[in-house]
């Protein structure tokens, strides 16, 4: 996990208005808003690497409630179009989502269907196989 975070930080693009890392309280507030526990690996990402910009996809964030990647807003939209409520989105791609269950398994939800055959065993595996190469 630490190696993946270091890799993300090394590859992060410099932007005019950088993202900020959230406080633990902001993560708890997001959990309270979505009424789901955020899996431990996603919490680690939020605390230590959610300020990086890498590749072409943008995982959720919790530091700025006005961001298009703000977890509670992304979650509300995903649920409104049919994502099962036991799943938490971690990345939005139009009306499709990478999402995670309470056990930390990452799935792709596309066109109203959950691809359970191509799941990632952990958030960090998803980072290495999907986000970093994007």
């Amino acid at each position: 996990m630490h190696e993946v975070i270091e890799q993300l930080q090394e590859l992060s693009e410099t932007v005019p208005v950088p993202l900020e890392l959230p406080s633990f309280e902001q993560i708890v507030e997001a959990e309270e808003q979505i009424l789901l526990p955020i899996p431990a690996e996603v919490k680690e990402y939020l605390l230590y690497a959610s300020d990086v910009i890498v590749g072409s996809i943008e995982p959720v964030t919790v530091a700025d409630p006005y961001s298009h990647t703000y977890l509670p807003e992304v979650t509300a939209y995903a649920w409104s179009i049919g994502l099962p409520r036991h799943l938490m989105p971690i990345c939005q791609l139009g009306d499709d989502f990478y999402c995670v269950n309470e056990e930390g398994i990452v799935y792709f939800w596309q066109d109203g269907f959950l691809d359970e055959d191509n799941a990632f065993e952990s958030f960090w595996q998803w980072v290495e196989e999907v986000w970093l190469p994007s």
Side-chain angles (χ1 to χ4, degrees), residues 7-127:
Q7 187 176 6
L8 284 169
Q9 290 169 338
E10 288 171 13
L11 294 171
S12 184
E13 300 172 26
T14 303
V15 293
V17 181
L19 299 172
E20 294 182 11
L21 291 173
S23 65
F24 188 76
E25 289 76 25
Q26 287 173 305
I27 293 173
V28 170
E29 184 178 306
E31 281 181 315
E32 290 171 351
Q33 288 182 37
I34 65 172
L35 301 173
L36 280 180
I38 298 173
E41 290 182 341
V42 178
K43 279 184 187 174
E44 291 169 340
Y45 149 74
L46 290 168
L47 283 169
Y48 304 112
S50 63
D51 63 339
V52 301
I53 298 183
V54 174
S56 62
I57 61 175
E58 299 174 282
V60 294
T61 60
V62 295
D64 180 1
Y66 300 104
S67 172
H68 66 284
T69 58
Y70 186 58
L71 176 61
E73 292 299 320
V74 172
T75 302
Y77 177 69
W79 288 348
S80 78
I81 63 169
L83 182 73
R85 290 193 177 255
H86 71 280
L87 298 173
M88 184 190 84
I90 56 169
C91 185
Q92 180 176 357
L93 302 169
D95 283 345
D96 303 327
F97 296 87
Y98 283 100
C99 52
V100 64
N101 67 12
E102 275 191 57
E103 291 79 36
I105 299 171
V106 177
Y107 300 97
F108 188 55
W109 187 79
Q110 182 176 32
D111 299 325
F113 297 98
L114 192 63
D115 183 359
E116 296 183 76
D117 295 331
N118 297 304
F120 300 91
E121 292 301 315
S122 72
F123 176 80
W124 296 115
Q125 180 188 10
W126 174 82
V127 168

